[in-house]
Each structure stands twice: as C-alpha cells, then as structure tokens.
Amino acid sequence: MTLLERLKMQWPIIQAPMAGVTTPEMVIASANAGILGSIGAGYLNADVTKAFIQAVKKETTKPFAVNLFVPNVINATQQELEEAYNVLKPYREKLMIADEGALLSTTDFDAQVDVVIEEDVKVCSFTFGLPSEDVIKKLRDHDIFTIGTATTIEEAILVQEHGLDAVVLQGEEAGGHRGSFIEPFQLVPLQELLLQAQGKITIPIIAAGGIATKEQLQHAIEAGSEAVQIGTAFVVSEESGAPNVHKQQILLADEDVTALSNVFSGKLARGIENDFMIFMEGNKIAPYPYQNDLTKSIRARAQELGYYSLMSMWAGTSLHLVEKGTVQEIVDRLTK
C-alpha cells in the first residue's frame, strides 16, 4: 500500500504542522483539498490539543495528523536563564512589557500522546527527536501511523530503526525550526538528503524544504519521495493564523531573504532576517525551550504593534515563489 493510499490522500502533499500558525480552518481546508492537514501541537497543552482536534473532526471525516515536539530539555541553571533574560530587557522596555523574570518551561508530551489516542487521530508525527519505544507501541496498538523528522541521513536511519512508519527528510532550505536531534547539527540540502537516502531508507520518504511550486514538487517525487511537506506556501493562505505582517513580508519578497538563527527559541530556525536576529547574534541565548519562553511576550507584543523587526517570521528559501490564496487555490497551483 502506498503512502497516499494509507493516508487517503488525493495529492502527495502534507501541509506542514506549523505550531502557532496552523488553525483548525487550515487543517480542514487541507483535508478537503485532498492533502494531509497537520495540527502543529508542539506548544499546546493537552486540553488545547484536544479542543483543536475536536474542532477539526467536527468539520471533516478525512484523516489528518497531529505533530508533537519530543521533549529534549537541556538543563539550564537559574544564572544562565537570568543572563539570557537580562539581554532581552531593552526590548521589553521598548515594548512596555512588565518584568516577568526568567521562566521555567514545562512539557505536556505524554498527556498529548494520550489525547491523540483518545481522539482516534489517524496520523501522529514527531519533531526534535524520537519518541520512546513505549509511545510508539501505544500508537501502533491503536493503528496510528507515525512519522519522524530527520535533517541528516544518520537521523533518518535512526527514525527507520526506531520503527516509525515514515520519515520527513527536512533539507536546510526549510522554514521554521530544524528537526535536528543528533549533534553536531548539520545543514544538508534536500536534494543531497534524497540522494543519500537511496538504498538506505526503505520506509516512505516525505521531502521538505524549499518546495513551493509544482516543478519543485515533481522534482522531489522523481528523486525518491512519496510525498512532500510544504509550509511557507500555506503560511500565506487565507486560512493561516499567521499575522498579516508576516504574510505580507513573505509575499513582498522577490528573492531569498531568510537566515538561520537560534535567538528566538534557543533552537536553530529559518525565517525572514530582521533586526532582532541580527542584533541578538552573539548575545547570551538560553537553550530551547527556555529562550522560546523568554521571548514569547516580546514576540506577542511586537505582533500586536506590527513591529516585524522583532517578530519570528518563519519562512523557507523559496518564499519569493509563493502566492496568496485559499488552501484549495494553493493546492490547485501545486497539482494542476
């Protein structure tokens, strides 16, 4: 059975699970357009994850995925967190944000896995690492299709050996966070990853990174992938939850204006380069997910005020090739 048959997809496209951008409307529209919609649940707690899933199920009976962040918290001392917090104080003052102090991050991963099972979700994908054997067994016992994320062939082999059903090969061109989990972290172009996978990866491959046109999609399929995962092209969709200023910055780009940075979350991610990314480089950055929590209020206030110079505007290297429209219109451009 092919990946498309297993996941009941008309087209070999997965809407990338973009935490903070994906809305129920986007996932529903993706399912109705014949592709696999994905809930980006990485930053949600179990209750909100459940409500999100139920909102989607209310409007479609087609399969969709839930993406979870595998917990991999790097221990940080209170002093390290305070230093990283103090670096951000000028931005907090500029945006008139109250002093909060360094926050400690928590995760709801196990409870989210239980929600995925309880709500009978058909597909569960993972980013930032490998779930435990117990988690994989629990999902398999409930006939839930599992997808891992890899940024190198070494990571892809581990995903395969760990028993997941498919793997997303994420090239360096991809927008948003790198799914890397083996150090030293490497940047490998998508086409090179697909070439390296030949003869080594036997589970279905989903290509991700810099895919925004029908031609790029076809090229990835010809290179050995059964489907592609696309994010940036859907960020600008009408159903997207991205701020209008984020969408406009993508639509106004006439070339690749992205850069990789860890200043927003503590983990390397690709987005439209702006002042915050440039000025924060070289300063004390807390490890993920602490830095993400430390900058959360700054990003939220900047979004309210339309200060895109202080926002995390994730986008891949093909951002200049995307066009606005509904999810259905974007899928049509990619497939017809």
Side-chain angles (χ1 to χ4, degrees):
M1 186 181 291
T2 66
L3 183 68
L4 265 66
E5 291 169 338
R6 177 72 171 79
L7 303 183
K8 299 178 181 176
M9 298 157 61
Q10 180 182 358
W11 306 108
I13 300 171
I14 295 174
Q15 164 248 309
M18 299 168 284
V21 169
T22 312
T23 62
E25 292 76 20
M26 179 189 282
V27 179
I28 294 162
S30 295
N32 291 339
I35 69 174
L36 185 71
S38 306
I39 296 173
Y43 296 131
L44 307 181
N45 62 33
D47 289 340
V48 178
T49 301
K50 185 170 189 173
F52 201 135
I53 292 169
Q54 291 177 344
V56 174
K57 286 167 62 178
K58 191 178 289 186
E59 299 297 330
T60 184
T61 58
K62 295 181 179 179
F64 58 90
V66 170
N67 176 260
L68 303 178
F69 291 167
V70 177
N72 186 20
V73 179
I74 299 172
N75 290 328
T77 66
Q78 191 62 34
Q79 182 181 342
E80 288 175 319
L81 295 179
E82 292 291 349
E83 287 176 11
Y85 178 81
N86 289 335
V87 169
L88 296 167
K89 277 193 171 180
Y91 297 100
R92 303 177 67 82
E93 291 169 3
K94 177 180 179 180
L95 297 170
M96 294 182 287
I97 300 171
D99 202 24
E100 295 174 316
L103 308 173
L104 291 176
S105 188
T106 58
T107 179
D108 224 9
F109 179 78
D110 291 328
Q112 285 181 302
V113 170
D114 290 339
V115 165
V116 167
I117 293 170
E118 291 163 11
E119 291 297 320
D120 194 27
V121 174
K122 302 302 181 187
V123 185
C124 189
S125 64
F126 299 93
T127 308
F128 301 152
L130 298 168
S132 68
E133 291 181 7
D134 287 344
V135 166
I136 294 174
K137 184 178 185 303
K138 279 173 67 175
L139 294 170
R140 185 180 292 118
D141 287 347
H142 289 84
D143 197 29
I144 296 171
F145 192 87
T146 55
I147 303 174
T149 305
T151 61
T152 64
I153 193 63
E154 292 81 10
E155 290 176 347
I157 289 169
L158 281 179
V159 168
Q160 179 170 271
E161 291 176 346
H162 219 61
L164 280 83
D165 297 308
V167 60
V168 173
L169 290 185
Q170 184 192 43
E172 68 169 294
E173 304 91 341
H177 283 96
R178 309 288 303 143
S180 308
F181 59 92
I182 297 179
E183 294 189 31
F185 297 149
Q186 303 172 53
L187 295 173
V188 185
L190 177 59
Q191 289 305 315
E192 188 175 328
L193 267 180
L194 292 171
L195 191 63
Q196 292 174 0
Q198 293 179 8
K200 295 179 181 175
I201 305 301
T202 56
I203 58 176
I205 291 169
I206 300 156
I211 301 170
T213 67
K214 182 178 181 179
E215 292 71 28
Q216 290 170 326
L217 184 158
Q218 291 173 333
H219 195 50
I221 298 296
E222 290 166 2
S225 57
E226 288 196 35
V228 300
Q229 183 166 283
I230 295 178
T232 309
F234 292 118
V235 171
V236 301
S237 70
E238 291 181 13
E239 295 88 351
S240 165
N244 284 332
V245 65
H246 184 178
K247 294 181 182 181
Q248 286 304 310
Q249 288 298 303
I250 292 174
L251 292 168
L252 289 171
D254 57 10
E255 60 182 3
D256 178 17
V257 289
T258 66
L260 286 160
S261 177
N262 69 343
V263 301
F264 285 107
S265 69
K267 190 179 284 289
L268 205 59
R270 183 179 295 281
I272 297 173
E273 190 168 39
N274 60 12
D275 290 347
F276 191 80
M277 292 163 72
I278 294 168
F279 295 146
M280 281 290 292
E281 202 64 44
N283 281 301
K284 178 66 179 179
I285 306 294
Y288 176 88
Y290 302 109
Q291 184 73 10
N292 190 72
D293 289 342
L294 293 178
T295 65
K296 187 175 182 178
S297 57
I298 292 172
R299 290 178 281 122
R301 179 61 62 84
Q303 179 178 320
E304 287 174 19
L305 299 173
Y307 290 175
Y308 60 81
S309 61
L310 300 178
M311 291 168 54
S312 55
M313 296 181 292
W314 305 139
T317 57
S318 292
L319 78 167
H320 55 294
L321 300 176
V322 309
E323 299 176 55
K324 64 181 179 180
T326 63
V327 166
Q328 181 66 65
E329 289 168 344
I330 293 166
V331 171
D332 286 347
R333 286 197 291 265
L334 289 163
T335 57
K336 296 177 180 176

